[in-house]
Structure formats: C-alpha cells, structure tokens
C-alpha cells in the first residue's frame, strides 16, 4: 500500500474534484491510498485558508506516514509558507516524495535544496478538470504506483528540474533555489504576455549561467497584447540563451495542460521503479 | 543653455507627444534645448525599433554634448540593450544625467552601479498624455533648468533609488543592480494583480536585506482578480518587510501618474541647484 497525503499550499480545489480523483484511483490503482486533507477545500478569500492553516496541513502531511505529499493545486501562495516549511523540516532525510507543479515549485525547490523530500514535477488533482484531465491524473497515480511511463521522454542521464517560468524567476537568487549547476532546467508558462515572458527570460538567464542547458515547455493561454511581440516563445528562449551562453536544449513535454509529463528533480534514475 | 537629448529605449512616442513637450519647453523654459532623436518615433512591431536601433540612439545621445539623456517612454525593452550600453559606456565619468522611470529603470540601475551617468527617476515625455500631464512635464523641465521643487518630499539625507516593482524584481541578483545597502528603496507599480504584487515583494525582499528601508509608491490600475486578494498594497509591503527584517518606511510620492515626483539615485544633496 502506497499512501498519498494531499494538501493545497496555494489555492483550493473542490470536494467534487477530489471525489473524481478518488474514484479513478479506487477503480484503477487499488494499491494506492489517497487522503485528502480537509484544508484542500478551505475557501477563505484568495487562498485555501490562511497561511497558518496551509502550513499546518502541509506539515501534517509531511510528518504523517505518507509516502507521497501530493499538492492539490497551484494558483498562488506556496511561497508564503516555504520559509516556515524549511524551518520545520530541514535536517530530516528524503524518504518522502513531494509531487506537483506551477506555484508549488517554491516547495519543490526548497525540498530539493534542503534534501528533506524528493521533489517531483507532475500533474495535480486539480488537473482532473481539464479536457483529457483523467489521463493527467492517471499519469500521476501510475507514478505513485511505481510506473515510469509518465516520465518526460528526453531527460536522459542528466539531472533536471522543471519549473513554471515566473515561479523560477521569483526563486532566483533566494535561499530556496538549489544550485542548478550542471542541471537541465525545464520551464513552462501559462497566461503571460510574450513581452513578460521575454522579461522573465532576461532575469532567469542572468541567474542561471552554469546550468547544463534550458529546455522550453509549453506556453499556453498567451494573452493578446495591444500589438504583436514579433517573436515566438522558442525564439525568445533561444535569444536569451545565446546572449548569456546557456545551451538551449530544445522543447520539453511539460505545461499547464493534460499532457504535462513527470520530471523528478535530480536524476530520474534515482527514482527507479520501487 | 542646458541640452536635453531624448531617445526611447523601450517603446515609441508620437511626434504629437514630442511637439506638445517642445511647445511647453519653448514657452516656459527657454534656457532648455530639447533634441528628440528620430528613433523616438520608430514604430516597428513591439519596440521603438529593433534593439540595434534603440541602442544606437541611446549611445548617440549618451555620447553627444547633452547634459541630460531623457527617456521618452518606458513600456518594455530597455533590459534588452542594457548589457551593451554598459559595455559601451563603463569607465567614463558621470557628467550626464539619465532621467526617466518605469521600464527605463534597467538603464538607471546600470548607470548608477557603473557610475557612467547620474540616474534620476522622474516624469517622461509620454506623460504629457496623462490628465494633468503638463504638470509632470513641467516638473521634469524645471529639474533640468535647476529647480528642485519636484523632488520627492521625504528623501531626507538618506541615499535613495526608485523603481517600478517588476523592473526592480527583474534586476535583483543581476549584474545591473547597484549594491543598495543603506539605501531607501522606493517602489511603484501599475496594472499588476495584487497577488502578483505580493509575489514580487516576496522576491525583492529576499534580495534586499540590508537596505535602509522600503517605501511604497502608488499602485495604479490594479486589475480585478477572479476573487479579492484580501489585503491592500500597504499591508502587503509591511508584511514582507516584517518577514525579512527590512524597515518599512511608509508611503512615497511616486507612481505611473502625473504626480510622480523626482528621485535622484544616491543622495539628493549631490544634485544641488546647478
């Protein structure tokens, strides 16, 4: 039996989302035991409950016997509790996986840097809402059950991390981002104007000299600007890589969509089928 | 005669904007000579001309006999030419003022860090379009003519800088931001959601430990989110200052508006009436 404890460090999901995910798990992955913390459904203002409640649920999951802490949804807010989580958990060994993406990247970064959990980028319960979302959920559940089919296909033998671009930008230079020297850094973004994406690449490439290279995931739901930017996302990524001497390593199969693949932080080989 | 050379490192203005500013200067400040570089009106895609054209105009203004290089407009783009400007100008002494705000903060930061120009935050020609915009233009022209009435009123005897918040966030940790230890840092923002402002404060306060303190200018045109953030801009600034041990020093009279006051980088006393 693999135990999955679920909390929402940013914004909430609904009990209907949780019920759909639980039904899928029960039908197809009977060896998994899912435990949605009630904080997942807390809906007080912007966040899934105040900082103290979200931190409390995160630490309750982290300190339980769970094999995996699965983040229910991103949105915004995990950066507001990451310092406290680091303070509470630093020093323990990385038996547990922390699994999610988007805004939860703050927690994944800190877990990988401090080594108190094994960070993995991958689909979250909220993705059940997407078209084709059950495939995304199935990919995560399969991973928890030991399958490795959901891995991003081009990780090779190189250490990697995956981040939402603005989350990575906000982490750069802080005490929460691991040293990424020698890593492939995969980025994806949603709902940002291309000029803002260009600006974020300025920032992250200034910070990431020394990485093995950058790979570009999908940019989805790019809003129209008052005038066209004149360059697409891959040209933007290539341009800033070239300016800063960072190898551009091509596209990555990640994004805010149902096809979003799994990227374990570090070496994928360290996450062999258990 | 004080000579003002004007270029547009980001996005363009119109010849009508320039004509209105020139007419005001001619009528009220005959001792000023304004020279709008034709690049100010270049309208090829997103930017006021390609990077090479914008850099060329900036360097032409910088290397002319102008006493002041006045940036016509922000928008987005000065970060794309800042590295080249530093390469071309580093080592020369700071005889010239560079004057503007918003996206032009990348150039102001680099000029102050490298010491090749005296950076000043203040109104730009594009502000003539605003309601009350002629007052903003008059404030800048008055400063060029030697008046000090347009100074932000609470600078005191402390070194200061002023930035658009996202511009400052993108500068943090890069080779373009000066060491701000002991500085009062004034920030303002426009057209960002409050949750994004909160996220930016997370980033900049992580980077700015050691500053004398933070002062909050105006946040204008804040878009409505799908749900209220539950906190206002001053509460956000206070919160992140408290979390990181940065003194919160109160409000600042700067913003994307006609009342935007002048903030010389460094000590205002070093910019005494000439």
């Amino acid at each position: 039996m693999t135990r999955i404890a679920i909390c929402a460090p940013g914004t909430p999901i609904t009990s209907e989302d949780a019920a759909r995910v639980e039904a899928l798990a029960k039908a197809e992955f009977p060896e998994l035991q899912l435990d949605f913390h009630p904080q997942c459904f807390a809906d007080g203002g912007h966040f899934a409950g105040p900082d103290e409640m979200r931190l409390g649920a995160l630490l309750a999951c982290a300190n339980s016997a769970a094999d995996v802490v699965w983040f229910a949804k991103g949105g915004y807010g995990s950066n507001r509790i990451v310092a406290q989580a680091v303070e509470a958990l630093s020093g323990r060994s990385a038996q547990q996986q922390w699994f999610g993406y988007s805004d939860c990247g703050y927690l994944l970064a800190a877990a990988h840097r401090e080594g108190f959990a094994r960070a993995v980028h991958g689909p979250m319960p909220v993705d059940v809402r997407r078209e084709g979302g059950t495939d995304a959920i199935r990919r995560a559940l399969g991973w928890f059950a030991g399958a490795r089919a959901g891995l991003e296909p081009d990780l090779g033998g190189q250490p990697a991390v995956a981040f939402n671009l603005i989350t990575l930008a906000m982490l750069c230079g802080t005490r929460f981002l691991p040293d990424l020297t020698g890593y492939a850094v995969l980025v994806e973004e949603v709902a940002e104007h291309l000029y803002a994406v260009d600006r974020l690449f300025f920032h992250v490439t200034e910070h990431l000299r020394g990485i093995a290279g950058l790979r570009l995931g999908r940019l989805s739901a790019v809003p129209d600007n008052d005038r066209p930017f004149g360059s697409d996302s891959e040209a933007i990524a290539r341009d800033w890589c070239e300016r800063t001497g960072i190898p551009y390593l091509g596209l990555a199969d990640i994004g805010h969509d149902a096809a979003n693949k799994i990227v374990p932080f570090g070496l994928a080989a360290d996450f062999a089928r258990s």
Side-chain angles (χ1 to χ4, degrees), chain A residues 127-148:
Chain A
D127 288 313
V128 76
R129 297 178 194 171
R130 298 188 189 280
E131 197 181 323
T134 50
D135 287 343
I137 300 302
R138 208 172 266 125
R139 191 176 308 121
L141 296 174
W143 173 269
F144 303 150
R148 293 296 172 258

PDB file of all heavy atoms in Angstrom, chain A residues 127-148:
ATOM      1  N   ASP A 127      -5.978  19.041 -12.034  1.00  0.00           N
ATOM      2  CA  ASP A 127      -5.928  18.788 -13.475  1.00  0.00           C
ATOM      3  C   ASP A 127      -7.072  17.897 -13.955  1.00  0.00           C
ATOM      4  O   ASP A 127      -7.311  17.804 -15.167  1.00  0.00           O
ATOM      5  CB  ASP A 127      -4.575  18.164 -13.860  1.00  0.00           C
ATOM      6  CG  ASP A 127      -3.435  19.169 -13.785  1.00  0.00           C
ATOM      7  OD1 ASP A 127      -3.602  20.290 -14.314  1.00  0.00           O
ATOM      8  OD2 ASP A 127      -2.386  18.845 -13.204  1.00  0.00           O
ATOM      9  N   VAL A 128      -7.782  17.253 -13.027  1.00  0.00           N
ATOM     10  CA  VAL A 128      -8.933  16.435 -13.423  1.00  0.00           C
ATOM     11  C   VAL A 128      -9.983  17.273 -14.147  1.00  0.00           C
ATOM     12  O   VAL A 128     -10.793  16.754 -14.923  1.00  0.00           O
ATOM     13  CB  VAL A 128      -9.540  15.714 -12.186  1.00  0.00           C
ATOM     14  CG1 VAL A 128     -10.367  16.670 -11.324  1.00  0.00           C
ATOM     15  CG2 VAL A 128     -10.355  14.501 -12.617  1.00  0.00           C
ATOM     16  N   ARG A 129      -9.961  18.595 -13.924  1.00  0.00           N
ATOM     17  CA  ARG A 129     -10.928  19.489 -14.583  1.00  0.00           C
ATOM     18  C   ARG A 129     -10.641  19.700 -16.065  1.00  0.00           C
ATOM     19  O   ARG A 129     -11.501  20.143 -16.802  1.00  0.00           O
ATOM     20  CB  ARG A 129     -10.885  20.868 -13.929  1.00  0.00           C
ATOM     21  CG  ARG A 129     -11.296  20.897 -12.487  1.00  0.00           C
ATOM     22  CD  ARG A 129     -11.162  22.325 -11.968  1.00  0.00           C
ATOM     23  NE  ARG A 129     -11.234  22.374 -10.514  1.00  0.00           N
ATOM     24  CZ  ARG A 129     -10.973  23.456  -9.803  1.00  0.00           C
ATOM     25  NH1 ARG A 129     -10.616  24.572 -10.416  1.00  0.00           N
ATOM     26  NH2 ARG A 129     -11.048  23.423  -8.482  1.00  0.00           N
ATOM     27  N   ARG A 130      -9.411  19.461 -16.480  1.00  0.00           N
ATOM     28  CA  ARG A 130      -9.031  19.755 -17.866  1.00  0.00           C
ATOM     29  C   ARG A 130      -9.647  18.764 -18.844  1.00  0.00           C
ATOM     30  O   ARG A 130      -9.964  17.637 -18.471  1.00  0.00           O
ATOM     31  CB  ARG A 130      -7.508  19.662 -18.032  1.00  0.00           C
ATOM     32  CG  ARG A 130      -6.721  20.638 -17.208  1.00  0.00           C
ATOM     33  CD  ARG A 130      -5.240  20.584 -17.598  1.00  0.00           C
ATOM     34  NE  ARG A 130      -4.441  21.353 -16.674  1.00  0.00           N
ATOM     35  CZ  ARG A 130      -4.310  22.684 -16.717  1.00  0.00           C
ATOM     36  NH1 ARG A 130      -4.914  23.380 -17.656  1.00  0.00           N
ATOM     37  NH2 ARG A 130      -3.563  23.310 -15.829  1.00  0.00           N
ATOM     38  N   GLU A 131      -9.728  19.154 -20.091  1.00  0.00           N
ATOM     39  CA  GLU A 131     -10.062  18.200 -21.145  1.00  0.00           C
ATOM     40  C   GLU A 131      -8.942  17.163 -21.196  1.00  0.00           C
ATOM     41  O   GLU A 131      -7.753  17.534 -21.267  1.00  0.00           O
ATOM     42  CB  GLU A 131     -10.161  18.948 -22.486  1.00  0.00           C
ATOM     43  CG  GLU A 131     -10.896  18.154 -23.540  1.00  0.00           C
ATOM     44  CD  GLU A 131     -10.968  18.906 -24.871  1.00  0.00           C
ATOM     45  OE1 GLU A 131     -11.119  20.139 -24.856  1.00  0.00           O
ATOM     46  OE2 GLU A 131     -10.831  18.233 -25.905  1.00  0.00           O
ATOM     47  N   GLY A 132      -9.290  15.935 -21.127  1.00  0.00           N
ATOM     48  CA  GLY A 132      -8.264  14.888 -21.074  1.00  0.00           C
ATOM     49  C   GLY A 132      -7.596  14.784 -19.711  1.00  0.00           C
ATOM     50  O   GLY A 132      -6.564  14.123 -19.566  1.00  0.00           O
ATOM     51  N   GLY A 133      -8.182  15.436 -18.725  1.00  0.00           N
ATOM     52  CA  GLY A 133      -7.549  15.524 -17.414  1.00  0.00           C
ATOM     53  C   GLY A 133      -7.396  14.193 -16.698  1.00  0.00           C
ATOM     54  O   GLY A 133      -6.470  14.021 -15.896  1.00  0.00           O
ATOM     55  N   THR A 134      -8.284  13.234 -16.998  1.00  0.00           N
ATOM     56  CA  THR A 134      -8.129  11.934 -16.327  1.00  0.00           C
ATOM     57  C   THR A 134      -6.814  11.258 -16.743  1.00  0.00           C
ATOM     58  O   THR A 134      -6.223  10.539 -15.952  1.00  0.00           O
ATOM     59  CB  THR A 134      -9.318  10.986 -16.628  1.00  0.00           C
ATOM     60  OG1 THR A 134      -9.535  10.966 -18.037  1.00  0.00           O
ATOM     61  CG2 THR A 134     -10.582  11.466 -15.930  1.00  0.00           C
ATOM     62  N   ASP A 135      -6.356  11.531 -17.965  1.00  0.00           N
ATOM     63  CA  ASP A 135      -5.041  10.998 -18.361  1.00  0.00           C
ATOM     64  C   ASP A 135      -3.929  11.587 -17.504  1.00  0.00           C
ATOM     65  O   ASP A 135      -2.955  10.893 -17.172  1.00  0.00           O
ATOM     66  CB  ASP A 135      -4.752  11.317 -19.833  1.00  0.00           C
ATOM     67  CG  ASP A 135      -5.609  10.462 -20.765  1.00  0.00           C
ATOM     68  OD1 ASP A 135      -6.148   9.440 -20.308  1.00  0.00           O
ATOM     69  OD2 ASP A 135      -5.729  10.837 -21.955  1.00  0.00           O
ATOM     70  N   ALA A 136      -4.056  12.878 -17.188  1.00  0.00           N
ATOM     71  CA  ALA A 136      -3.043  13.519 -16.347  1.00  0.00           C
ATOM     72  C   ALA A 136      -3.050  12.883 -14.947  1.00  0.00           C
ATOM     73  O   ALA A 136      -1.989  12.562 -14.394  1.00  0.00           O
ATOM     74  CB  ALA A 136      -3.300  15.024 -16.255  1.00  0.00           C
ATOM     75  N   ILE A 137      -4.246  12.687 -14.400  1.00  0.00           N
ATOM     76  CA  ILE A 137      -4.364  12.084 -13.068  1.00  0.00           C
ATOM     77  C   ILE A 137      -3.804  10.654 -13.089  1.00  0.00           C
ATOM     78  O   ILE A 137      -3.064  10.237 -12.196  1.00  0.00           O
ATOM     79  CB  ILE A 137      -5.840  12.066 -12.614  1.00  0.00           C
ATOM     80  CG1 ILE A 137      -6.401  13.496 -12.565  1.00  0.00           C
ATOM     81  CG2 ILE A 137      -5.989  11.364 -11.268  1.00  0.00           C
ATOM     82  CD1 ILE A 137      -5.658  14.442 -11.666  1.00  0.00           C
ATOM     83  N   ARG A 138      -4.168   9.919 -14.137  1.00  0.00           N
ATOM     84  CA  ARG A 138      -3.682   8.547 -14.298  1.00  0.00           C
ATOM     85  C   ARG A 138      -2.143   8.511 -14.362  1.00  0.00           C
ATOM     86  O   ARG A 138      -1.512   7.597 -13.833  1.00  0.00           O
ATOM     87  CB  ARG A 138      -4.274   7.997 -15.602  1.00  0.00           C
ATOM     88  CG  ARG A 138      -4.463   6.515 -15.637  1.00  0.00           C
ATOM     89  CD  ARG A 138      -5.237   6.121 -16.885  1.00  0.00           C
ATOM     90  NE  ARG A 138      -6.665   6.021 -16.666  1.00  0.00           N
ATOM     91  CZ  ARG A 138      -7.602   6.677 -17.375  1.00  0.00           C
ATOM     92  NH1 ARG A 138      -7.254   7.496 -18.360  1.00  0.00           N
ATOM     93  NH2 ARG A 138      -8.873   6.507 -17.095  1.00  0.00           N
ATOM     94  N   ARG A 139      -1.563   9.527 -14.992  1.00  0.00           N
ATOM     95  CA  ARG A 139      -0.094   9.596 -15.087  1.00  0.00           C
ATOM     96  C   ARG A 139       0.537   9.744 -13.695  1.00  0.00           C
ATOM     97  O   ARG A 139       1.516   9.069 -13.366  1.00  0.00           O
ATOM     98  CB  ARG A 139       0.302  10.779 -15.990  1.00  0.00           C
ATOM     99  CG  ARG A 139       1.766  10.806 -16.387  1.00  0.00           C
ATOM    100  CD  ARG A 139       2.046  11.952 -17.367  1.00  0.00           C
ATOM    101  NE  ARG A 139       1.120  11.907 -18.478  1.00  0.00           N
ATOM    102  CZ  ARG A 139       0.291  12.887 -18.820  1.00  0.00           C
ATOM    103  NH1 ARG A 139       0.314  14.045 -18.167  1.00  0.00           N
ATOM    104  NH2 ARG A 139      -0.538  12.747 -19.823  1.00  0.00           N
ATOM    105  N   ALA A 140      -0.064  10.625 -12.889  1.00  0.00           N
ATOM    106  CA  ALA A 140       0.462  10.817 -11.529  1.00  0.00           C
ATOM    107  C   ALA A 140       0.243   9.567 -10.677  1.00  0.00           C
ATOM    108  O   ALA A 140       1.164   9.089  -9.999  1.00  0.00           O
ATOM    109  CB  ALA A 140      -0.210  12.026 -10.883  1.00  0.00           C
ATOM    110  N   LEU A 141      -0.966   9.012 -10.737  1.00  0.00           N
ATOM    111  CA  LEU A 141      -1.270   7.826  -9.924  1.00  0.00           C
ATOM    112  C   LEU A 141      -0.388   6.649 -10.336  1.00  0.00           C
ATOM    113  O   LEU A 141       0.096   5.885  -9.484  1.00  0.00           O
ATOM    114  CB  LEU A 141      -2.752   7.458 -10.064  1.00  0.00           C
ATOM    115  CG  LEU A 141      -3.759   8.491  -9.533  1.00  0.00           C
ATOM    116  CD1 LEU A 141      -5.191   8.053  -9.865  1.00  0.00           C
ATOM    117  CD2 LEU A 141      -3.605   8.711  -8.033  1.00  0.00           C
ATOM    118  N   GLY A 142      -0.172   6.517 -11.627  1.00  0.00           N
ATOM    119  CA  GLY A 142       0.710   5.460 -12.125  1.00  0.00           C
ATOM    120  C   GLY A 142       2.120   5.605 -11.554  1.00  0.00           C
ATOM    121  O   GLY A 142       2.746   4.630 -11.121  1.00  0.00           O
ATOM    122  N   TRP A 143       2.596   6.839 -11.545  1.00  0.00           N
ATOM    123  CA  TRP A 143       3.923   7.108 -10.968  1.00  0.00           C
ATOM    124  C   TRP A 143       3.965   6.692  -9.494  1.00  0.00           C
ATOM    125  O   TRP A 143       4.904   6.017  -9.057  1.00  0.00           O
ATOM    126  CB  TRP A 143       4.245   8.594 -11.122  1.00  0.00           C
ATOM    127  CG  TRP A 143       5.491   9.043 -10.423  1.00  0.00           C
ATOM    128  CD1 TRP A 143       5.599   9.523  -9.156  1.00  0.00           C
ATOM    129  CD2 TRP A 143       6.825   9.042 -10.958  1.00  0.00           C
ATOM    130  NE1 TRP A 143       6.901   9.842  -8.860  1.00  0.00           N
ATOM    131  CE2 TRP A 143       7.690   9.543  -9.950  1.00  0.00           C
ATOM    132  CE3 TRP A 143       7.382   8.666 -12.189  1.00  0.00           C
ATOM    133  CZ2 TRP A 143       9.061   9.699 -10.134  1.00  0.00           C
ATOM    134  CZ3 TRP A 143       8.761   8.816 -12.367  1.00  0.00           C
ATOM    135  CH2 TRP A 143       9.578   9.323 -11.360  1.00  0.00           C
ATOM    136  N   PHE A 144       2.927   7.069  -8.750  1.00  0.00           N
ATOM    137  CA  PHE A 144       2.893   6.712  -7.322  1.00  0.00           C
ATOM    138  C   PHE A 144       2.898   5.191  -7.149  1.00  0.00           C
ATOM    139  O   PHE A 144       3.452   4.658  -6.188  1.00  0.00           O
ATOM    140  CB  PHE A 144       1.648   7.287  -6.627  1.00  0.00           C
ATOM    141  CG  PHE A 144       1.516   8.788  -6.737  1.00  0.00           C
ATOM    142  CD1 PHE A 144       0.255   9.394  -6.754  1.00  0.00           C
ATOM    143  CD2 PHE A 144       2.638   9.601  -6.813  1.00  0.00           C
ATOM    144  CE1 PHE A 144       0.125  10.773  -6.843  1.00  0.00           C
ATOM    145  CE2 PHE A 144       2.513  10.996  -6.911  1.00  0.00           C
ATOM    146  CZ  PHE A 144       1.250  11.574  -6.932  1.00  0.00           C
ATOM    147  N   ALA A 145       2.274   4.504  -8.112  1.00  0.00           N
ATOM    148  CA  ALA A 145       2.194   3.036  -8.046  1.00  0.00           C
ATOM    149  C   ALA A 145       3.458   2.355  -8.575  1.00  0.00           C
ATOM    150  O   ALA A 145       3.549   1.125  -8.568  1.00  0.00           O
ATOM    151  CB  ALA A 145       0.974   2.555  -8.833  1.00  0.00           C
ATOM    152  N   GLY A 146       4.419   3.178  -9.047  1.00  0.00           N
ATOM    153  CA  GLY A 146       5.702   2.598  -9.450  1.00  0.00           C
ATOM    154  C   GLY A 146       5.966   2.579 -10.936  1.00  0.00           C
ATOM    155  O   GLY A 146       7.066   2.237 -11.369  1.00  0.00           O
ATOM    156  N   ALA A 147       4.967   2.959 -11.756  1.00  0.00           N
ATOM    157  CA  ALA A 147       5.178   3.000 -13.200  1.00  0.00           C
ATOM    158  C   ALA A 147       6.062   4.191 -13.542  1.00  0.00           C
ATOM    159  O   ALA A 147       6.053   5.205 -12.843  1.00  0.00           O
ATOM    160  CB  ALA A 147       3.845   3.120 -13.925  1.00  0.00           C
ATOM    161  N   ARG A 148       6.815   4.089 -14.614  1.00  0.00           N
ATOM    162  CA  ARG A 148       7.679   5.192 -15.030  1.00  0.00           C
ATOM    163  C   ARG A 148       7.334   5.684 -16.431  1.00  0.00           C
ATOM    164  O   ARG A 148       8.076   6.463 -17.029  1.00  0.00           O
ATOM    165  CB  ARG A 148       9.157   4.766 -14.940  1.00  0.00           C
ATOM    166  CG  ARG A 148       9.610   4.519 -13.464  1.00  0.00           C
ATOM    167  CD  ARG A 148       9.546   5.818 -12.658  1.00  0.00           C
ATOM    168  NE  ARG A 148       9.778   5.660 -11.219  1.00  0.00           N
ATOM    169  CZ  ARG A 148       8.820   5.656 -10.301  1.00  0.00           C
ATOM    170  NH1 ARG A 148       7.531   5.733 -10.651  1.00  0.00           N
ATOM    171  NH2 ARG A 148       9.112   5.567  -9.029  1.00  0.00           N
TER     172      ARG A 148
END
